[in-house]
Amino acid sequence: MIFRKGELFNGPGGFALGSSWALVKGKNETFSVTHEWSNDICEDACETYKKNICPDRPETVFTKDVRLLDIEKLPEIDAFIFGFPCNDFSIVGEKKGFNGDYGPLYSYGIKVLKHFKPKWFIAENVGGLQSANDGLAFTTILKEMVEAGYKITPHLYNFADYGVPQTRQRIIIVGFRNDLNIDFKVPKPTHGPNGNQPYRTAYDALMNPPIQKDAPNHEFTKHTNKVIQFLKHIPPGENAWYEGIPEHLRLNVKGARMSQIYRRLHPDQPAYTVTGSGGGGTHMYHWEEPRALTNRERARLQTFPDSFVFYGGKEKVRQQIGMAVPPEGAKIIVEAVLKAYAGIWYPSVEAKWDIDEIVYQDKLNLVTT
């Protein structure tokens, strides 16, 4: 069976690429996912999506504000994925939640569920969603998914636990339509202390194999001599506040000191979270060479293959990479969905949240812990 997938807030196509890699063979049938249509407001992200995900069907990617999208005129789908904007739920920033410009956009995903009634859906957002609006945002979103007719399983995933060379925590909500009577199980971690393989390291991601000099999106940043000297005094894994930095090179910053500022990767550990925005000192830094990572290196940490070309200016490409779902992580989740649908057993762990207690008994304290 081939599930026809619709997607809102498609970004550059991390979830779409991972979905295209997912393939599950049942006793008498093979299960896979194919692109049907998608939407995003960002022109550069849509160009990236078109060229890499559906080059033969660019007209199926709708570049516009989701609030202007005529959902009812879109083609029929069996599956739906939406990584609704996380700007107002992120732990970096003001955490406006429902009070921000982006918080309410999840509701367009609910409209898709109610109109198309796909067999299953996957929703994705940052970990900060669980505490936005004192936990009310998370509870409200889950309730609306249940009311749309779905049995849902929310869980906080750390993609490093699934072979992604990066510590990246995201809330993933999987839902199956009620009439299918399917229980989704969170796939068991494959890496780290709870898996059977060691974590993938930043060194492995960037050096195995080495990136070709002419690889796309591999432009190097030109640093001032002061920044270069500054970085030379920061050991792998340390940041701008390392005590060994000479006094004359130290940053004059008052107040909160973000741990990611001029933080260098540690070659023997997964990278810290790749982000899509931020000023000086937030571009991620090589453990050996005194420089920021290139966009291609950030894409490697996000598990995009080197053949995946990002379109747009350097900062727009950085934004796309940082906002994306790692394709290899997406593949594992989609394969678990396909196995659940096919009735195939796979190793699993208990979900972080008990949906019955959150939605039906409305215990907000379970959301914020």
Side-chain angles (χ1 to χ4, degrees), residues 57-73:
R57 300 176 64 202
E59 73 282 358
T60 61
V61 180
F62 300 92
T63 309
K64 61 174 62 179
D65 188 323
V66 69
R67 291 168 287 197
L68 303 177
L69 184 66
D70 193 341
I71 290 173
E72 296 186 0
K73 290 186 178 180

Side-chain angles (χ1 to χ4, degrees), residues 166-168 202 227 230-242 245 251 257-267 269-275 279-293 298 301:
Q166 174 194 172
T167 299
R168 190 180 188 87
V227 169
F230 180 70
L231 288 170
K232 284 182 176 179
H233 287 90
I234 302 175
E238 297 290 344
N239 59 23
W241 321 118
Y242 177 64
I245 299 173
L251 301 181
R257 295 182 171 187
M258 290 180 61
S259 64
Q260 311 296 53
I261 298 295
Y262 287 108
R263 183 177 173 186
R264 304 188 77 172
L265 299 178
H266 195 295
Q269 299 170 3
Y272 53 94
T273 304
V274 178
T275 58
T282 63
H283 289 67
M284 308 189 77
Y285 297 84
H286 199 276
W287 62 84
E288 184 175 24
E289 300 173 20
R291 62 172 178 84
L293 299 188
R298 296 187 193 97
L301 297 176

